[in-house]
Amino acid sequence: MKEIGIKLKAKREENGIGIKEAANDLNISESKLESIEEGRKEDFKDILSLKLIIRDYAKYLGLDGEQML
């Protein structure tokens, strides 16, 4: 999980997108995106919602969402 978060954060920063902008665009709380980027899967109640957010976030950043999972 930590590796996924590192890749997502690096891509977001490479794209020049702030965490607040990404959260607004995806309609996801900043804290959830920060948890993903920091590899804190324990912050999520169920694994399915975590996977869906990772997939959508990856696609938003121009990455392969399915491959990230």
Side-chain angles (χ1 to χ4, degrees):
M1 175 71 188
K2 188 76 170 171
E3 290 177 30
I4 292 170
I6 290 168
K7 288 179 184 178
L8 291 170
K9 183 176 183 176
K11 186 64 174 176
R12 177 179 59 74
E13 290 174 346
E14 179 185 313
N15 290 348
I17 300 169
I19 192 100
K20 186 173 189 166
E21 180 182 354
N24 285 337
D25 289 347
L26 293 166
N27 199 26
I28 298 170
S29 72
E30 285 181 58
S31 62
K32 285 186 178 179
L33 291 185
E34 288 170 350
S35 292
I36 289 170
E37 289 185 352
E38 294 172 13
R40 295 191 319 256
K41 65 180 175 184
E42 64 275 2
D43 290 354
F44 295 85
K45 292 181 181 176
D46 72 83
I47 197 76
L48 179 60
S49 65
L50 173 59
K51 285 182 175 183
L52 292 173
I53 293 170
I54 290 172
R55 185 197 66 199
D56 291 347
Y57 192 23
K59 285 181 182 178
Y60 168 77
L61 295 172
L63 299 169
D64 184 336
E66 299 302 321
Q67 183 181 359
M68 292 298 288
L69 296 175

